Coordinates of all heavy atoms in Angstrom, one line a residue:
M571 N 30.6 -36.7 -10.4 CA 31.6 -36.6 -11.5 C 32.0 -35.1 -11.6 O 31.1 -34.2 -11.5 CB 30.9 -37.0 -12.8 CG 31.9 -37.1 -13.9 SD 31.2 -38.1 -15.2 CE 31.4 -37.0 -16.5
M572 N 33.2 -34.9 -11.8 CA 33.7 -33.5 -11.9 C 33.5 -32.9 -13.3 O 33.7 -33.6 -14.3 CB 35.2 -33.6 -11.6 CG 35.8 -32.3 -11.3 SD 37.5 -32.8 -10.7 CE 38.2 -31.4 -10.4
E573 N 33.1 -31.7 -13.3 CA 32.9 -31.0 -14.6 C 34.2 -30.5 -15.2 O 35.0 -30.0 -14.5 CB 31.9 -29.8 -14.4 CG 31.6 -29.1 -15.7 CD 30.6 -28.0 -15.5 OE1 29.8 -28.1 -14.5 OE2 30.6 -27.1 -16.3
V574 N 34.4 -30.8 -16.5 CA 35.6 -30.4 -17.2 C 35.3 -29.2 -18.0 O 34.4 -29.2 -18.8 CB 36.1 -31.6 -18.1 CG1 37.3 -31.2 -18.8 CG2 36.3 -32.8 -17.2
C575 N 36.2 -28.2 -17.9 CA 36.0 -27.0 -18.7 C 36.6 -27.3 -20.1 O 37.8 -27.6 -20.2 CB 36.7 -25.8 -18.1 SG 36.0 -25.3 -16.5
L576 N 35.9 -27.1 -21.1 CA 36.3 -27.3 -22.5 C 37.3 -26.3 -23.0 O 38.2 -26.6 -23.7 CB 35.2 -27.4 -23.4 CG 34.2 -28.5 -23.1 CD1 33.0 -28.5 -24.1 CD2 34.8 -29.9 -23.2
F577 N 37.1 -25.1 -22.6 CA 38.0 -24.0 -23.1 C 38.9 -23.5 -22.0 O 39.4 -22.3 -22.1 CB 37.1 -22.8 -23.6 CG 36.2 -23.3 -24.7 CD1 34.9 -23.4 -24.5 CD2 36.7 -23.5 -26.0 CE1 34.0 -23.8 -25.6 CE2 35.9 -23.9 -27.0 CZ 34.6 -24.1 -26.8
G578 N 39.1 -24.2 -21.0 CA 40.1 -23.8 -20.0 C 39.5 -22.9 -19.0 O 38.3 -23.0 -18.6
R579 N 40.3 -22.0 -18.5 CA 39.8 -21.1 -17.4 C 38.8 -20.1 -17.8 O 38.1 -19.5 -17.0 CB 41.0 -20.4 -16.8 CG 41.9 -21.4 -16.1 CD 43.1 -20.7 -15.4 NE 43.9 -21.7 -14.8 CZ 44.8 -21.4 -13.9 NH1 44.9 -20.2 -13.5 NH2 45.5 -22.4 -13.4
I580 N 38.8 -19.7 -19.1 CA 37.9 -18.7 -19.6 C 36.4 -19.2 -19.4 O 35.6 -18.4 -18.9 CB 38.1 -18.4 -21.1 CG1 39.5 -17.8 -21.3 CG2 37.1 -17.5 -21.7 CD1 40.0 -17.7 -22.7
L581 N 36.1 -20.4 -19.7 CA 34.8 -20.9 -19.5 C 34.4 -20.9 -18.0 O 33.3 -20.6 -17.6 CB 34.7 -22.3 -20.1 CG 33.3 -22.9 -20.1 CD1 32.3 -22.1 -20.9 CD2 33.3 -24.3 -20.7
C582 N 35.4 -21.3 -17.2 CA 35.1 -21.4 -15.7 C 34.9 -20.0 -15.2 O 34.0 -19.8 -14.4 CB 36.3 -22.0 -15.0 SG 36.4 -23.8 -15.4
S583 N 35.7 -19.0 -15.7 CA 35.5 -17.6 -15.2 C 34.2 -17.1 -15.6 O 33.5 -16.3 -14.9 CB 36.6 -16.8 -15.6 OG 36.7 -16.6 -17.0
C584 N 33.7 -17.5 -16.8 CA 32.4 -17.0 -17.3 C 31.3 -17.6 -16.4 O 30.3 -16.9 -16.1 CB 32.1 -17.4 -18.8 SG 33.2 -16.5 -19.9
K585 N 31.4 -18.8 -16.0 CA 30.4 -19.4 -15.1 C 30.4 -18.7 -13.8 O 29.4 -18.5 -13.2 CB 30.7 -20.9 -14.9 CG 30.3 -21.7 -16.2 CD 30.6 -23.2 -15.9 CE 30.3 -24.0 -17.2 NZ 30.6 -25.4 -16.9
L586 N 31.6 -18.4 -13.3 CA 31.7 -17.7 -12.0 C 31.1 -16.3 -12.1 O 30.4 -15.9 -11.2 CB 33.2 -17.6 -11.6 CG 33.5 -16.8 -10.3 CD1 32.9 -17.6 -9.2 CD2 35.0 -16.6 -10.1
I587 N 31.3 -15.6 -13.2 CA 30.7 -14.3 -13.4 C 29.2 -14.4 -13.5 O 28.5 -13.6 -12.9 CB 31.3 -13.6 -14.6 CG1 32.8 -13.2 -14.3 CG2 30.5 -12.3 -15.0 CD1 33.5 -12.7 -15.6
R588 N 28.7 -15.4 -14.2 CA 27.3 -15.6 -14.3 C 26.7 -15.9 -12.9 O 25.6 -15.4 -12.6 CB 27.0 -16.7 -15.3 CG 25.7 -16.7 -15.8 CD 25.4 -17.8 -16.8 NE 26.6 -18.1 -17.6 CZ 26.9 -19.3 -18.1 NH1 26.1 -20.3 -17.9 NH2 28.0 -19.5 -18.8
L589 N 27.4 -16.7 -12.1 CA 26.9 -17.0 -10.8 C 26.9 -15.7 -9.9 O 25.9 -15.5 -9.1 CB 27.7 -18.1 -10.2 CG 27.2 -18.7 -8.9 CD1 25.9 -19.4 -9.1 CD2 28.3 -19.7 -8.3
M590 N 27.9 -14.9 -10.0 CA 28.0 -13.7 -9.2 C 26.9 -12.7 -9.6 O 26.2 -12.1 -8.8 CB 29.3 -13.0 -9.4 CG 30.4 -13.8 -8.6 SD 32.1 -13.2 -9.0 CE 32.0 -11.5 -8.8
V591 N 26.6 -12.6 -10.9 CA 25.5 -11.7 -11.4 C 24.2 -12.2 -10.9 O 23.3 -11.4 -10.5 CB 25.6 -11.6 -12.9 CG1 24.3 -10.9 -13.5 CG2 26.8 -10.8 -13.4
F592 N 24.0 -13.5 -10.9 CA 22.7 -14.1 -10.4 C 22.5 -13.8 -9.0 O 21.4 -13.3 -8.6 CB 22.7 -15.6 -10.6 CG 21.6 -16.3 -10.0 CD1 20.3 -16.2 -10.6 CD2 21.7 -17.0 -8.8 CE1 19.2 -16.9 -10.1 CE2 20.6 -17.6 -8.3 CZ 19.3 -17.6 -8.9
F593 N 23.5 -13.9 -8.1 CA 23.4 -13.6 -6.7 C 23.2 -12.1 -6.5 O 22.5 -11.7 -5.6 CB 24.5 -14.2 -5.9 CG 24.4 -15.6 -5.7 CD1 25.5 -16.5 -6.1 CD2 23.3 -16.2 -5.1 CE1 25.4 -17.8 -5.9 CE2 23.3 -17.6 -4.9 CZ 24.3 -18.4 -5.3
L594 N 23.9 -11.3 -7.3 CA 23.7 -9.9 -7.1 C 22.3 -9.4 -7.5 O 21.6 -8.6 -6.8 CB 24.7 -9.1 -8.0 CG 24.5 -7.6 -8.1 CD1 24.9 -7.0 -6.8 CD2 25.4 -7.0 -9.2
M595 N 21.7 -10.0 -8.6 CA 20.3 -9.7 -8.9 C 19.4 -10.2 -7.9 O 18.4 -9.5 -7.6 CB 20.0 -10.4 -10.3 CG 20.7 -9.7 -11.4 SD 20.4 -10.5 -13.0 CE 18.7 -10.3 -13.2
Q596 N 19.6 -11.4 -7.3 CA 18.7 -11.8 -6.2 C 18.8 -10.9 -5.0 O 17.7 -10.6 -4.4 CB 19.1 -13.2 -5.8 CG 18.8 -14.3 -6.8 CD 17.3 -14.4 -7.1 OE1 16.5 -14.3 -6.2 NE2 16.9 -14.6 -8.3
Y597 N 19.9 -10.4 -4.7 CA 20.1 -9.5 -3.6 C 19.3 -8.2 -3.9 O 18.6 -7.6 -3.0 CB 21.5 -9.2 -3.3 CG 21.7 -8.1 -2.2 CD1 21.7 -8.5 -0.9 CD2 22.0 -6.8 -2.6 CE1 21.8 -7.5 0.1 CE2 22.2 -5.8 -1.6 CZ 22.1 -6.2 -0.2 OH 22.2 -5.3 0.7
L598 N 19.5 -7.6 -5.1 CA 18.8 -6.4 -5.4 C 17.3 -6.5 -5.4 O 16.6 -5.7 -4.9 CB 19.3 -5.9 -6.8 CG 20.7 -5.4 -6.9 CD1 21.1 -5.1 -8.3 CD2 21.0 -4.2 -6.0
I599 N 16.8 -7.6 -5.9 CA 15.3 -7.9 -6.0 C 14.7 -8.0 -4.6 O 13.6 -7.5 -4.4 CB 15.0 -9.1 -6.9 CG1 15.4 -8.8 -8.3 CG2 13.6 -9.5 -6.8 CD1 15.3 -10.0 -9.2
T600 N 15.4 -8.6 -3.7 CA 14.9 -8.9 -2.4 C 15.0 -7.7 -1.5 O 14.3 -7.5 -0.5 CB 15.5 -10.1 -1.7 OG1 16.9 -9.9 -1.7 CG2 15.2 -11.3 -2.5
H601 N 16.0 -6.7 -1.7 CA 16.2 -5.6 -0.8 C 15.8 -4.3 -1.3 O 15.9 -3.3 -0.5 CB 17.7 -5.6 -0.5 CG 18.2 -6.7 0.4 ND1 18.5 -8.0 -0.1 CD2 18.3 -6.8 1.8 CE1 18.9 -8.7 0.9 NE2 18.8 -8.1 2.0
F602 N 15.4 -4.1 -2.5 CA 15.0 -2.8 -3.1 C 13.6 -3.0 -3.7 O 13.2 -4.0 -4.3 CB 16.0 -2.3 -4.1 CG 17.3 -2.0 -3.4 CD1 18.4 -2.9 -3.5 CD2 17.5 -0.8 -2.8 CE1 19.6 -2.6 -3.0 CE2 18.7 -0.5 -2.2 CZ 19.8 -1.4 -2.3
S603 N 12.9 -1.8 -3.8 CA 11.6 -1.8 -4.4 C 11.8 -1.7 -6.0 O 12.9 -1.3 -6.4 CB 10.7 -0.7 -3.9 OG 11.2 0.6 -4.3
D604 N 10.7 -1.9 -6.7 CA 10.8 -1.7 -8.2 C 11.1 -0.3 -8.5 O 11.8 0.0 -9.5 CB 9.4 -2.1 -8.8 CG 9.2 -3.6 -8.7 OD1 10.2 -4.4 -8.5 OD2 8.0 -4.0 -8.9
F605 N 10.5 0.7 -7.8 CA 10.8 2.1 -8.1 C 12.3 2.4 -7.9 O 12.9 3.1 -8.7 CB 9.9 3.0 -7.2 CG 10.2 4.4 -7.4 CD1 9.7 5.1 -8.5 CD2 10.9 5.2 -6.5 CE1 9.9 6.4 -8.7 CE2 11.1 6.5 -6.6 CZ 10.7 7.1 -7.8
Q606 N 12.9 1.9 -6.8 CA 14.3 2.2 -6.5 C 15.2 1.5 -7.6 O 16.1 2.1 -8.0 CB 14.7 1.7 -5.1 CG 14.1 2.4 -4.0 CD 14.3 1.8 -2.7 OE1 14.3 0.5 -2.6 NE2 14.6 2.6 -1.6
L607 N 14.8 0.3 -7.9 CA 15.6 -0.3 -9.0 C 15.5 0.4 -10.3 O 16.5 0.5 -11.0 CB 15.2 -1.8 -9.1 CG 15.5 -2.7 -8.0 CD1 14.9 -4.1 -8.2 CD2 17.0 -2.8 -7.8
A608 N 14.3 0.9 -10.6 CA 14.2 1.6 -11.9 C 14.9 2.9 -11.9 O 15.6 3.2 -12.9 CB 12.7 1.8 -12.2
C609 N 14.8 3.6 -10.8 CA 15.5 5.0 -10.8 C 17.0 4.8 -10.7 O 17.7 5.4 -11.5 CB 14.9 5.8 -9.6 SG 13.2 6.3 -9.9
L610 N 17.4 4.1 -9.7 CA 18.9 4.0 -9.4 C 19.5 3.2 -10.5 O 20.6 3.5 -11.0 CB 19.1 3.4 -8.1 CG 18.7 4.2 -6.9 CD1 18.9 3.5 -5.6 CD2 19.4 5.5 -6.8
G611 N 18.8 2.1 -11.0 CA 19.4 1.3 -12.0 C 19.6 2.0 -13.3 O 20.7 1.9 -13.9
S612 N 18.6 2.8 -13.7 CA 18.7 3.6 -15.0 C 19.8 4.7 -14.8 O 20.5 4.9 -15.8 CB 17.4 4.1 -15.4 OG 16.9 5.0 -14.4
F613 N 19.9 5.3 -13.6 CA 20.9 6.3 -13.4 C 22.3 5.7 -13.6 O 23.1 6.3 -14.3 CB 20.7 7.0 -12.1 CG 21.8 7.9 -11.7 CD1 21.9 9.2 -12.3 CD2 22.8 7.6 -10.8 CE1 22.9 10.1 -12.0 CE2 23.8 8.4 -10.5 CZ 23.9 9.7 -11.1
F614 N 22.6 4.6 -12.8 CA 23.9 4.0 -12.9 C 24.2 3.5 -14.2 O 25.4 3.5 -14.7 CB 24.1 3.0 -11.8 CG 24.2 3.6 -10.4 CD1 23.3 3.3 -9.4 CD2 25.2 4.5 -10.1 CE1 23.4 3.8 -8.2 CE2 25.3 5.0 -8.8 CZ 24.4 4.7 -7.9
L615 N 23.3 2.9 -14.9 CA 23.5 2.4 -16.2 C 23.8 3.5 -17.2 O 24.8 3.4 -18.0 CB 22.3 1.6 -16.7 CG 22.4 1.0 -18.1 CD1 23.4 -0.1 -18.1 CD2 21.1 0.5 -18.6
H616 N 23.1 4.6 -17.1 CA 23.4 5.8 -18.0 C 24.7 6.3 -17.7 O 25.5 6.6 -18.7 CB 22.3 6.9 -17.8 CG 22.6 8.1 -18.4 ND1 23.3 9.2 -17.8 CD2 22.4 8.6 -19.7 CE1 23.5 10.2 -18.6 NE2 22.9 9.8 -19.8
E617 N 25.1 6.6 -16.5 CA 26.4 7.2 -16.1 C 27.5 6.3 -16.5 O 28.5 6.7 -17.0 CB 26.4 7.5 -14.7 CG 25.5 8.6 -14.3 CD 25.7 9.9 -15.0 OE1 26.9 10.3 -15.2 OE2 24.7 10.5 -15.5
S618 N 27.4 5.0 -16.3 CA 28.5 4.1 -16.7 C 28.7 4.0 -18.2 O 29.8 4.0 -18.7 CB 28.2 2.7 -16.1 OG 27.1 2.1 -16.7
V619 N 27.6 4.0 -19.0 CA 27.7 4.0 -20.4 C 28.3 5.3 -20.9 O 29.2 5.4 -21.8 CB 26.4 3.7 -21.1 CG1 26.4 4.0 -22.6 CG2 25.9 2.3 -20.9
F620 N 27.9 6.4 -20.3 CA 28.4 7.8 -20.7 C 29.9 7.9 -20.5 O 30.6 8.3 -21.4 CB 27.6 8.8 -19.9 CG 28.1 10.2 -20.2 CD1 27.7 10.8 -21.4 CD2 28.9 10.9 -19.3 CE1 28.1 12.1 -21.7 CE2 29.3 12.2 -19.6 CZ 28.9 12.8 -20.8
F621 N 30.3 7.5 -19.3 CA 31.8 7.7 -19.0 C 32.6 6.6 -19.6 O 33.7 6.9 -20.1 CB 32.0 7.8 -17.5 CG 31.5 9.0 -16.8 CD1 30.4 9.1 -16.0 CD2 32.2 10.2 -17.1 CE1 30.0 10.3 -15.5 CE2 31.7 11.4 -16.6 CZ 30.6 11.4 -15.8
L622 N 32.2 5.4 -19.7 CA 33.0 4.4 -20.3 C 33.1 4.5 -21.8 O 34.0 4.0 -22.4 CB 32.4 3.0 -19.9 CG 32.5 2.6 -18.5 CD1 31.9 1.3 -18.2 CD2 34.0 2.6 -18.0
S623 N 32.1 5.2 -22.4 CA 32.2 5.4 -23.9 C 33.3 6.4 -24.2 O 33.8 6.4 -25.4 CB 30.9 5.9 -24.4 OG 30.6 7.2 -23.9
G624 N 33.8 7.2 -23.3 CA 34.9 8.1 -23.6 C 36.2 7.5 -23.4 O 37.2 8.1 -23.9
L625 N 36.3 6.3 -22.8 CA 37.6 5.7 -22.6 C 38.4 5.4 -23.9 O 39.6 5.7 -23.9 CB 37.5 4.4 -21.8 CG 37.2 4.6 -20.3 CD1 37.0 3.3 -19.6 CD2 38.2 5.5 -19.6
P626 N 37.8 4.9 -25.0 CA 38.6 4.7 -26.2 C 39.2 6.0 -26.8 O 40.3 6.0 -27.2 CB 37.6 4.1 -27.2 CG 36.5 3.5 -26.3 CD 36.4 4.4 -25.1
F627 N 38.5 7.1 -26.6 CA 39.0 8.4 -27.2 C 40.1 8.9 -26.3 O 41.0 9.5 -26.8 CB 37.8 9.4 -27.3 CG 36.8 9.0 -28.3 CD1 35.6 8.4 -27.9 CD2 37.1 9.1 -29.6 CE1 34.7 8.0 -28.8 CE2 36.1 8.7 -30.6 CZ 34.9 8.2 -30.1
I628 N 40.0 8.7 -25.0 CA 41.1 9.1 -24.1 C 42.4 8.2 -24.5 O 43.5 8.8 -24.6 CB 40.8 8.8 -22.6 CG1 39.7 9.8 -22.2 CG2 42.0 9.0 -21.7 CD1 39.1 9.6 -20.9
Y629 N 42.2 7.0 -24.7 CA 43.3 6.1 -25.1 C 43.9 6.6 -26.5 O 45.1 6.7 -26.6 CB 42.9 4.6 -25.2 CG 43.9 3.8 -25.8 CD1 45.0 3.4 -25.0 CD2 43.9 3.3 -27.1 CE1 46.0 2.6 -25.6 CE2 44.8 2.5 -27.6 CZ 45.9 2.1 -26.8 OH 46.9 1.3 -27.4
L630 N 43.0 6.9 -27.4 CA 43.5 7.3 -28.8 C 44.3 8.7 -28.6 O 45.2 8.9 -29.3 CB 42.4 7.4 -29.7 CG 41.7 6.1 -30.1 CD1 40.5 6.4 -31.0 CD2 42.7 5.2 -30.9
E631 N 43.8 9.5 -27.8 CA 44.4 10.8 -27.6 C 45.8 10.7 -26.9 O 46.8 11.3 -27.3 CB 43.5 11.7 -26.7 CG 44.1 13.1 -26.4 CD 44.3 13.9 -27.7 OE1 43.4 13.8 -28.6 OE2 45.2 14.7 -27.7
R632 N 45.9 9.8 -25.9 CA 47.2 9.6 -25.2 C 48.2 8.9 -26.1 O 49.4 9.1 -26.0 CB 46.9 8.7 -24.0 CG 46.1 9.4 -22.9 CD 46.9 10.5 -22.2 NE 46.1 11.1 -21.2 CZ 46.6 12.1 -20.4 NH1 47.8 12.5 -20.6 NH2 45.8 12.6 -19.5
A633 N 47.7 8.0 -27.0 CA 48.6 7.3 -27.9 C 49.1 8.2 -29.0 O 50.1 7.8 -29.7 CB 47.9 6.1 -28.5
G634 N 48.4 9.3 -29.2 CA 48.9 10.2 -30.3 C 48.3 10.0 -31.6 O 48.6 10.7 -32.6
W635 N 47.3 9.1 -31.7 CA 46.7 8.8 -33.0 C 45.7 9.9 -33.4 O 45.3 9.9 -34.6 CB 46.0 7.5 -33.0 CG 47.0 6.4 -32.8 CD1 48.3 6.4 -33.0 CD2 46.7 5.1 -32.2 NE1 48.9 5.2 -32.7 CE2 47.9 4.4 -32.2 CE3 45.6 4.4 -31.8 CZ2 48.0 3.1 -31.8 CZ3 45.7 3.1 -31.4 CH2 46.9 2.5 -31.4
L636 N 45.2 10.8 -32.6 CA 44.3 11.8 -32.9 C 45.0 13.2 -33.0 O 44.3 14.2 -33.2 CB 43.1 11.9 -31.9 CG 42.2 10.7 -31.8 CD1 41.2 10.9 -30.7 CD2 41.5 10.4 -33.1
K637 N 46.3 13.2 -32.9 CA 47.0 14.5 -32.9 C 46.8 15.2 -34.2 O 46.7 16.5 -34.2 CB 48.5 14.2 -32.7 CG 49.3 15.5 -32.5 CD 50.7 15.2 -32.2 CE 50.8 15.0 -30.7 NZ 52.2 14.9 -30.2
K638 N 46.7 14.6 -35.4 CA 46.6 15.3 -36.6 C 45.3 15.9 -36.8 O 45.1 16.8 -37.6 CB 46.9 14.4 -37.8 CG 45.9 13.2 -37.9 CD 46.3 12.3 -39.1 CE 45.4 11.1 -39.2 NZ 45.8 10.3 -40.4
Y639 N 44.3 15.5 -36.0 CA 42.9 16.1 -36.0 C 42.7 17.2 -35.0 O 41.7 17.8 -34.9 CB 41.9 15.1 -35.9 CG 42.0 14.0 -36.9 CD1 42.4 12.7 -36.5 CD2 41.6 14.2 -38.2 CE1 42.5 11.7 -37.4 CE2 41.7 13.2 -39.1 CZ 42.2 11.9 -38.7 OH 42.3 10.9 -39.7
K640 N 43.7 17.5 -34.2 CA 43.6 18.4 -33.1 C 43.7 19.9 -33.6 O 44.6 20.2 -34.4 CB 44.7 18.2 -32.0 CG 44.4 18.8 -30.7 CD 45.4 18.3 -29.7 CE 45.0 18.8 -28.4 NZ 45.6 18.1 -27.3
I641 N 42.8 20.7 -33.2 CA 42.9 22.1 -33.6 C 43.3 23.1 -32.5 O 43.5 24.3 -32.8 CB 41.5 22.6 -34.2 CG1 40.4 22.4 -33.2 CG2 41.1 21.8 -35.4 CD1 39.1 23.0 -33.6
Q642 N 43.5 22.6 -31.3 CA 43.9 23.4 -30.2 C 45.4 23.5 -30.2 O 46.1 22.6 -30.6 CB 43.4 22.9 -28.9 CG 41.9 22.8 -28.8 CD 41.5 22.0 -27.6 OE1 42.2 21.2 -27.1 NE2 40.3 22.4 -27.1
V643 N 45.9 24.7 -29.8 CA 47.4 24.9 -29.6 C 47.8 24.2 -28.3 O 47.2 24.3 -27.3 CB 47.7 26.4 -29.6 CG1 49.2 26.6 -29.5 CG2 47.2 27.0 -30.9
A644 N 49.0 23.6 -28.3 CA 49.5 23.0 -27.1 C 49.9 24.1 -26.1 O 50.3 25.2 -26.5 CB 50.8 22.2 -27.4
L645 N 49.7 23.8 -24.8 CA 49.9 24.8 -23.8 C 51.4 25.3 -23.8 O 51.6 26.5 -23.6 CB 49.5 24.2 -22.4 CG 49.6 25.2 -21.2 CD1 48.7 26.3 -21.5 CD2 49.2 24.4 -20.0
S646 N 52.3 24.4 -24.0 CA 53.7 24.8 -24.0 C 54.0 25.8 -25.1 O 54.8 26.7 -25.0 CB 54.6 23.6 -24.1 OG 54.4 22.9 -25.3
L647 N 53.5 25.6 -26.3 CA 53.7 26.5 -27.4 C 53.0 27.8 -27.1 O 53.6 28.9 -27.5 CB 53.1 25.9 -28.7 CG 53.8 24.7 -29.3 CD1 53.0 24.2 -30.5 CD2 55.2 25.0 -29.6
L648 N 51.9 27.8 -26.5 CA 51.2 29.1 -26.1 C 52.0 29.9 -25.1 O 52.1 31.1 -25.2 CB 49.8 28.7 -25.6 CG 48.9 29.9 -25.3 CD1 48.6 30.7 -26.6 CD2 47.6 29.5 -24.7
C649 N 52.6 29.2 -24.1 CA 53.4 29.9 -23.1 C 54.6 30.5 -23.7 O 55.0 31.6 -23.4 CB 53.7 28.9 -22.0 SG 52.3 28.5 -21.0
S650 N 55.3 29.7 -24.6 CA 56.5 30.3 -25.2 C 56.1 31.4 -26.2 O 56.9 32.4 -26.3 CB 57.2 29.2 -26.0 OG 56.4 28.7 -27.1
Y651 N 55.0 31.4 -26.8 CA 54.5 32.5 -27.6 C 54.3 33.7 -26.8 O 54.7 34.8 -27.2 CB 53.3 32.1 -28.4 CG 52.7 33.2 -29.3 CD1 53.3 33.5 -30.5 CD2 51.5 33.8 -28.9 CE1 52.8 34.5 -31.3 CE2 51.0 34.8 -29.7 CZ 51.6 35.1 -30.9 OH 51.1 36.1 -31.7
C652 N 53.6 33.6 -25.6 CA 53.3 34.7 -24.8 C 54.6 35.3 -24.2 O 54.7 36.5 -24.0 CB 52.3 34.3 -23.7 SG 50.7 33.9 -24.3
N653 N 55.6 34.5 -23.8 CA 56.8 34.9 -23.2 C 57.7 35.6 -24.2 O 58.6 36.4 -23.8 CB 57.6 33.7 -22.6 CG 56.9 33.2 -21.4 OD1 56.1 34.0 -20.7 ND2 57.1 32.0 -21.0
S654 N 57.5 35.4 -25.5 CA 58.3 36.1 -26.5 C 58.0 37.6 -26.6 O 58.8 38.4 -27.1 CB 58.1 35.4 -27.9 OG 56.8 35.6 -28.3
F655 N 56.9 38.0 -26.1 CA 56.5 39.4 -26.1 C 57.0 40.2 -24.9 O 56.9 41.4 -24.9 CB 55.0 39.6 -26.2 CG 54.5 39.2 -27.6 CD1 53.6 38.1 -27.7 CD2 54.8 39.9 -28.7 CE1 53.1 37.7 -28.9 CE2 54.3 39.5 -29.9 CZ 53.5 38.4 -30.0
T656 N 57.5 39.5 -23.9 CA 57.9 40.2 -22.7 C 59.3 40.4 -22.6 O 60.1 40.0 -23.4 CB 57.5 39.4 -21.4 OG1 58.1 38.1 -21.5 CG2 56.0 39.3 -21.3

């Protein structure tokens, strides 16, 4: 009997992702030692959380929603200010 996805493709893609994660974990467990998994795993987890946590602020800055809180002078204003003395 064929399995029917209740919520459409979202549920099927979640099952696919879960299956991919399962096979990835099996590969890592069979090919690396506990020490390697602990060291490399914690390093990559830390770096991904560190860099991905900055993405919302980059988006907010690019959208202009943080402009009123900015205390730095824009580079174009600074260049025009410096050129006015020459």
Side-chain angles (χ1 to χ4, degrees):
M571 190 165 129
M572 197 170 174
E573 184 176 332
V574 178
C575 293
L576 298 176
F577 301 106
R579 294 183 183 199
I580 295 172
L581 184 61
C582 292
S583 65
C584 290
K585 288 181 182 180
L586 179 65
I587 291 171
R588 199 176 327 149
L589 189 63
M590 288 172 47
V591 168
F592 175 75
F593 284 122
L594 176 68
M595 288 177 63
Q596 289 298 321
Y597 176 81
L598 291 174
I599 290 170
T600 56
H601 288 83
F602 294 100
S603 69
D604 291 340
F605 178 75
Q606 290 172 325
L607 288 174
C609 292
L610 295 176
S612 63
F613 173 75
F614 287 120
L615 181 66
H616 170 268
E617 293 301 316
S618 61
V619 168
F620 178 76
F621 286 111
L622 291 176
S623 65
L625 289 179
F627 296 101
I628 293 172
Y629 174 74
L630 293 173
E631 178 67 33
R632 295 286 182 180
W635 295 339
L636 295 177
K637 188 177 272 190
K638 63 181 177 180
Y639 303 109
K640 195 167 188 166
I641 59 173
Q642 297 171 333
V643 178
L645 185 60
S646 60
L647 293 175
L648 185 62
C649 290
S650 63
Y651 178 75
C652 292
N653 290 336
S654 65
F655 289 114
T656 59

